[in-house]
């Protein structure tokens, strides 16, 4: 049984888009009606706006606290069993959805410091479940209103200066690159690890410029196989490059602090997780689940990072961190959304 950690409060800072997930099982035709594919992760356009009301009115919809980084921090807190180790920054509206997110964050032990955009509703993400697949359609709304002056408020600046570890999603590149660069520069100046996630193929396809601006600061980059391949394509790397080759190229991209070579951690569903350091690749097997055990793959990637972070902030070795990531992802897949049940049972 894992015991309470000895990580101190505020050691980890995350920035991202706080979203309320509206999750429901739907038929494939529902996706097709909105021009969506299985396992998509997209930003809502005008044509997607009716999706949220339709889910609530016509399907068995559940409200779950979402947003990639906030998910990861909630999972890390669950495993750490000690509140307020993780601090979260993001922007919400002034509404009931924001109150739900606040309550869910507090209950999970995440120290959320939301910026509030009074005239914009809290962001939502439609989670469309088709069998064991999930498709995401995010309407960022208030999450898109985050500004760097929130990080410059003395109390928030102190929280950032006080942290030892920093984690930001690729998703946040669509919102406020200056805030990401500020946190990255702080991490670099203090010689503290800065971790980032490729998050979704569309980030590499449409937001490569801000991604490449921050990449020299990134000490650990996470991604799944689809995201890694999208990055490789956008970079013009050889089309036949496999995941190992892409990982080696990722870690070889320019880096400001060459004393701390970049590490890439690439997941591939039920196939082994790849850890790439220098030009060395290690594999970490994933426990395969029977189809009947899989409730919902939504949140598996977020949970992997959460499990990883829970050990990383305690100074554990990378192999322990990755094993805990795999444990967390396996647990979350058996639950709806990025939610957990019972006590964590990770043993090193």
């Amino acid at each position: 049984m894992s015991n309470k950690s000895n990580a101190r409060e505020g050691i980890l800072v995350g920035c991202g888009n706080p979203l309320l997930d509206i999750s429901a099982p739907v038929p494939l035709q529902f996706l097709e009606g909105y021009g969506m594919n299985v396992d998509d992760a997209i930003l809502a356009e005008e044509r997607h706006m009716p999706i949220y009301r339709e889910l609530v009115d016509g399907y068995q919809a559940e409200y779950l606290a979402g947003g990639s980084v906030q998910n990861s921090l909630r999972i890390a807190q669950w495993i750490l069993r000690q509140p307020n180790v993780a601090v979260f920054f993001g922007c919400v509206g002034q509404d009931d959805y924001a109150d739900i997110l606040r309550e869910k964050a507090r209950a999970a032990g995440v120290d959320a410091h939301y910026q509030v955009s009074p005239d914009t509703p809290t962001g939502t993400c439609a989670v469309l479940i088709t069998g064991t697949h999930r498709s995401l359609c995010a309407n960022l709304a208030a999450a898109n209103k985050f500004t760097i002056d929130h990080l410059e408020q003395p109390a928030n600046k102190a929280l950032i200066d006080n942290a030892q570890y920093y984690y930001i999603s690729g998703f946040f590149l669509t919102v406020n690159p200056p805030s990401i660069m500020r946190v990255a520069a702080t991490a670099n100046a203090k010689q503290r690890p800065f971790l980032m996630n490729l998050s979704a193929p569309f980030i590499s396809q449409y937001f490569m410029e801000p991604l490449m601006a921050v990449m020299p600061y990134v000490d650990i980059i996470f991604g799944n196989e689809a995201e890694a391949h999208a990055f490789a394509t956008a970079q013009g790397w050889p089309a036949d490059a496999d995941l190992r080759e892409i990982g080696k190229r990722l870690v070889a991209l320019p880096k400001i602090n060459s004393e701390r070579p970049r590490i890439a951690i690439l997941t591939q569903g039920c196939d082994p997780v790849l850890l790439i350091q220098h030009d060395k690749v290690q594999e970490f097997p994933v426990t395969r689940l029977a189809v009947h055990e899989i409730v919902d793959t939504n949140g598996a990637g977020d949970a992997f990072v959460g499990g990883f972070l829970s050990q990383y902030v305690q100074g554990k070795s990378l192999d322990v961190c990755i094993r805990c990531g795999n444990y967390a992802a396996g647990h979350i897949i058996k639950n709806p959304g990025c939610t957990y049940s019972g006590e964590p049972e990770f043993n090193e």
Side-chain angles (χ1 to χ4, degrees):
M1 203 60 155
S2 58
N3 296 316
K4 184 178 157 183
S5 81
N6 54 6
R8 69 167 174 79
E9 286 191 5
I11 199 169
L12 170 63
V13 158
C15 297
N17 300 327
L19 306 175
L20 190 69
D21 283 355
I22 302 174
S23 174
V26 297
L28 269 174
Q29 297 90 299
F30 186 97
L31 292 188
E32 290 160 6
Y34 283 101
M36 288 179 65
N37 301 311
V38 166
D39 288 331
D40 255 355
I42 64 169
L43 291 178
E45 298 166 22
E46 202 53 50
R47 65 189 167 129
H48 298 111
M49 290 307 171
I51 214 168
Y52 308 94
R53 172 56 51 203
E54 193 177 338
L55 278 183
V56 172
D57 289 350
Y59 296 89
Q60 299 297 114
E62 275 193 281
Y63 292 101
L64 303 162
S68 179
V69 172
Q70 200 168 228
N71 282 345
S72 295
L73 299 187
R74 284 190 302 110
I75 299 300
Q77 284 289 167
W78 171 60
I79 294 169
L80 285 164
R81 301 173 173 219
Q82 177 191 351
N84 302 329
V85 171
V87 173
F88 176 77
F89 294 109
C91 188
V92 295
Q94 208 161 20
D95 51 25
D96 292 348
Y97 284 3
D99 294 340
I100 294 172
L101 282 180
R102 260 191 208 92
E103 182 43 48
K104 300 257 188 198
R106 192 182 300 115
V110 174
D111 186 16
H113 293 258
Y114 295 136
Q115 187 172 16
V116 176
S117 175
D119 51 354
T120 321
T122 296
T124 47
C125 183
V127 180
L128 311 173
I129 299 164
T130 50
T132 59
H133 297 277
R134 61 93 181 107
S135 306
L136 308 177
C137 182
N139 178 22
L140 297 184
N144 208 27
K145 302 283 187 177
F146 190 89
T147 55
I148 195 167
D149 55 343
H150 187 62
L151 301 182
E152 290 168 345
Q153 292 178 6
N156 293 340
K157 185 176 183 302
L159 288 167
I160 293 167
D161 289 342
N162 176 55
Q164 297 282 339
Y165 302 88
Y166 304 89
Y167 174 60
I168 298 185
S169 63
F171 288 128
F172 203 56
L173 289 164
T174 76
V175 172
N176 198 268
S179 294
I180 301 179
M181 298 305 289
R182 171 71 54 85
V183 174
T186 301
N188 182 61
K190 294 178 181 291
Q191 302 271 305
R192 295 170 184 172
F194 181 78
L195 295 78
M196 199 148 181
N197 205 312
L198 293 174
S199 291
F202 82 83
I203 298 297
S204 290
Q205 287 157 356
Y206 304 113
F207 295 90
M208 186 55 92
E209 195 177 331
L211 177 56
M212 290 311 287
V214 74
M215 190 62 81
Y217 293 92
V218 177
D219 295 302
I220 299 183
I221 185 79
F222 297 97
N224 65 25
E225 54 193 325
E227 294 153 7
H229 282 293
F231 184 88
T233 301
Q235 286 287 321
W237 292 348
D240 58 356
D242 66 3
L243 208 52
R244 294 164 159 266
E245 174 62 25
I246 293 169
K248 289 178 185 177
R249 284 172 175 257
L250 265 171
V251 301
L253 289 168
K255 192 158 188 307
I256 284 173
N257 178 4
S258 54
E259 299 290 298
R260 200 203 300 267
R262 184 179 299 111
I263 294 163
I265 297 170
L266 302 178
T267 60
Q268 36 184 355
C270 56
D271 291 328
V273 175
L274 302 183
L275 167 65
I276 301 102
Q277 303 182 82
H278 307 289
D279 54 359
K280 193 174 79 176
V281 182
Q282 282 173 271
E283 292 193 357
F284 293 82
V286 172
T287 305
R288 279 178 182 264
L289 297 177
V291 171
H292 73 270
E293 292 182 287
I294 299 174
V295 172
D296 174 4
T297 54
N298 179 32
D302 298 338
F304 176 87
V305 173
F308 182 97
L309 289 170
S310 74
Q311 305 307 301
Y312 193 61
V313 301
Q314 298 182 79
K316 300 288 172 70
S317 66
L318 289 173
D319 59 326
V320 170
C321 297
I322 289 172
R323 283 207 305 277
C324 190
N326 283 337
Y327 160 74
H331 179 91
I332 259 59
I333 287 171
K334 298 177 197 168
N335 290 274
C338 197
T339 59
Y340 41 82
S341 53
E343 295 287 334
E345 294 177 347
F346 174 69
N347 298 303
E348 285 179 44

